Amino acid sequence: MKTKFLLALLLLVLSQLFLGCTSNKSQNSFVLNGIIKGEIPEYLFLHYGNVKDSVLVKNGQFHFYGVVNAPKVARFSILGVSVMTKDCFFIENNTMQMDVNIEKKSMKGYDINFISIDSISGSKTELIKTDFEVYESTHNKDADWNSKLFKKLDTIIANNPSNSYSAYVFLIQLRKKILNKNQVEKLYHKIDTSKLSKVQLNDINRIINPFQTLKVGKQLMDFTLSNTKKELISTIDYRGKVLLIDFWASWCTPCRKQNPNLSKIYNEFKNNDFEILGVSIDKDLVKWMSAVKNDKLIWRNVIDTRGQESEILVKYGATNSVPQNFLIDKNGLIIAKNISIIDLKIYLHNNNSNVREIH
């Protein structure tokens, strides 16, 4: 009897220790389980922060494990061309369950996999996000939508000042330009900015204070980056020449398609004080160098592998959107932003500043 009592006591202690470990894991890490319907891929990729994780899909099911220091914006992708029908979702340190649907459609000769999330549970941030999306779709046509939007955002941010979704939804609404300056300032002061990423802060500040961004007629922000030979190249080196700063990436199809035309212009005007500096936002050095070689880019090319955390790319507005370009005069002043190939050629022929600005 004594032996049985000791055995039962030991099992009770072990069970409590096990539960304690399990509870601690659920608080300090996330588990993302899901079921896929439709086109079932062999591998599923999860992107969040600077992390790209992958799992083997078995019987239409997937399981991700990881740790985030705060709720993070996340998205899925699969091999080939894929897009999410909604921009993103939020993961946090908890056990989450998802139902995912993947539908393949042919568009303009390409097979594109559309990834949609039918349901998600276990993420408090997703509940806040879904609540706002339903509220917005219900009331955004109302005559008093401005005041309703402000009150809704005020409630979300006041109740969740440190949650990254507060900054996320605030930034999205800033871009829509519905809120007035007074409303924007009130909401901004309620956000716990210490919890925001550098990218979020820069994006918000760029919209609130647009005069701080690089504009036509202003001086460029000089920077120094490494080229394919690991040599440091600075924009200061181009003073006295007309410079086209071309932001691009190896994975950017429009960027790659315009490279042959840029090559023609460069070969025509390179002896007339004209230069091009290619700035890649790639994170994969091998793919970047391969693209430079395959596209036969003979002008200097540099790379900033810091991605969204790069102050250079944030300042020039090129963290996600490429191609982007800036035409700089011989004194370092910005002549044009996102100038077309045709307008660039006209400018170089005429050597005047009568160039259209394209946003």
Side-chain angles (χ1 to χ4, degrees):
M1 181 67 69
K2 186 176 181 180
T3 302
K4 289 183 178 180
F5 173 76
L6 290 174
L7 181 59
L9 182 62
L10 178 61
L11 289 174
L12 178 62
V13 171
L14 288 174
S15 67
Q16 292 300 313
L17 287 172
F18 176 76
L19 287 173
C21 292
T22 303
S23 175
N24 185 56
K25 182 180 179 181
S26 67
Q27 292 177 8
N28 297 298
S29 63
F30 71 81
V31 179
L32 180 57
N33 302 315
I35 298 173
I36 299 178
K37 296 179 181 178
E39 296 284 337
I40 299 178
E42 183 178 6
Y43 289 94
L44 182 66
F45 299 91
L46 175 66
H47 309 257
Y48 60 97
N50 292 319
V51 177
K52 180 180 179 181
D53 198 1
S54 64
V55 295
L56 182 66
V57 178
K58 296 181 179 180
N59 300 319
Q61 299 184 23
F62 62 87
H63 310 279
F64 284 100
Y65 307 91
V67 177
V68 289
N69 56 9
K72 292 282 187 183
V73 174
R75 63 183 179 85
F76 288 130
S77 69
I78 64 174
L79 295 175
V81 181
S82 63
V83 294
M84 292 197 64
T85 55
K86 286 190 175 181
D87 290 341
C88 65
F89 56 94
F90 280 80
I91 58 173
E92 57 193 51
N93 289 332
N94 206 346
T95 300
M96 294 164 284
Q97 181 68 41
M98 301 180 70
D99 289 330
V100 178
N101 185 68
I102 301 178
E103 183 181 3
K104 182 181 290 185
K105 296 181 181 179
S106 294
M107 299 179 67
K108 296 182 179 180
Y110 293 95
D111 286 333
I112 302 176
N113 296 285
F114 289 87
I115 305 173
S116 60
I117 299 173
D118 294 338
S119 67
I120 179 171
S121 60
S123 169
K124 294 179 181 178
T125 304
E126 269 298 309
L127 291 177
I128 301 170
K129 178 173 176 283
T130 301
D131 174 70
F132 176 77
E133 289 172 349
V134 171
Y135 184 84
E136 183 180 31
S137 63
T138 304
H139 297 287
N140 65 0
K141 301 296 182 183
D142 295 353
D144 58 344
W145 172 232
N146 175 278
S147 61
K148 286 182 177 177
L149 173 63
F150 172 73
K151 289 178 181 178
K152 186 66 174 178
L153 292 176
D154 186 63
T155 300
I156 291 173
I157 295 171
N159 292 335
N160 308 277
S162 302
N163 191 307
S164 55
Y165 177 70
S166 292
Y168 173 86
V169 69
F170 175 63
L171 184 55
I172 288 177
Q173 298 307 317
L174 272 183
R175 289 170 179 155
K176 293 180 180 179
K177 298 181 179 179
I178 299 172
L179 301 167
N180 61 47
K181 184 178 180 180
N182 184 48
Q183 291 170 326
V184 167
E185 290 179 349
K186 286 182 178 179
L187 294 174
Y188 179 68
H189 289 306
K190 290 188 177 183
I191 295 175
D192 182 0
T193 55
S194 68
K195 303 296 182 180
L196 303 184
S197 69
K198 186 184 295 183
V199 174
Q200 285 177 316
L201 279 173
N202 281 320
D203 282 348
I204 290 172
N205 285 327
R206 188 168 65 245
I207 295 175
I208 293 176
N209 303 301
F211 60 86
Q212 294 180 354
T213 59
L214 295 171
K215 290 184 177 181
V216 172
K218 299 293 185 181
Q219 189 77 19
L220 87 160
M221 184 191 78
D222 285 306
F223 58 84
T224 302
L225 292 169
S226 298
N227 66 4
T228 54
K229 297 179 181 179
K230 297 184 180 180
E231 299 167 335
L232 292 178
I233 305 298
S234 174
T235 51
I236 297 176
D237 301 335
Y238 293 92
R239 293 293 193 275
K241 294 186 178 183
V242 174
L243 172 66
L244 182 74
I245 301 176
D246 179 42
F247 290 94
W248 70 294
S250 65
W251 43 261
C252 169
T253 301
C255 303
R256 304 291 295 276
K257 284 184 177 180
Q258 78 171 7
N259 279 337
N261 291 323
L262 273 181
S263 294
K264 290 179 182 178
I265 289 180
Y266 183 70
N267 286 324
E268 184 176 352
F269 295 99
K270 64 182 179 181
N271 295 323
N272 296 329
D273 292 331
F274 171 66
E275 285 291 344
I276 299 175
L277 177 63
V279 183
S280 171
I281 68 170
D282 278 282
K283 290 188 177 181
D284 190 315
L285 290 170
V286 174
K287 290 182 179 178
W288 164 59
M289 294 181 72
S290 177
V292 170
K293 182 179 179 180
N294 291 336
D295 290 4
K296 300 177 181 178
L297 306 183
I298 59 175
W299 54 84
R300 287 174 171 176
N301 272 273
V302 295
I303 188 169
D304 195 331
T305 56
R306 291 172 295 177
Q308 291 185 334
E309 295 302 318
S310 165
E311 292 181 2
I312 297 170
L313 301 186
V314 168
K315 192 69 176 179
Y316 279 87
T319 50
N320 289 312
S321 179
V322 286
Q324 297 249 9
N325 67 54
F326 290 79
L327 187 63
I328 314 299
D329 75 3
K330 295 181 180 182
N331 298 311
L333 293 178
I334 300 172
I335 304 171
K337 177 182 177 182
N338 291 333
I339 186 172
S340 69
I341 294 292
I342 294 174
D343 282 338
L344 175 60
K345 192 167 184 177
I346 291 172
Y347 174 81
L348 294 173
H349 267 301
N350 298 334
N351 194 25
N352 62 52
S353 57
N354 185 25
V355 183
R356 296 196 303 271
E357 181 184 359
I358 305 169
H359 295 282

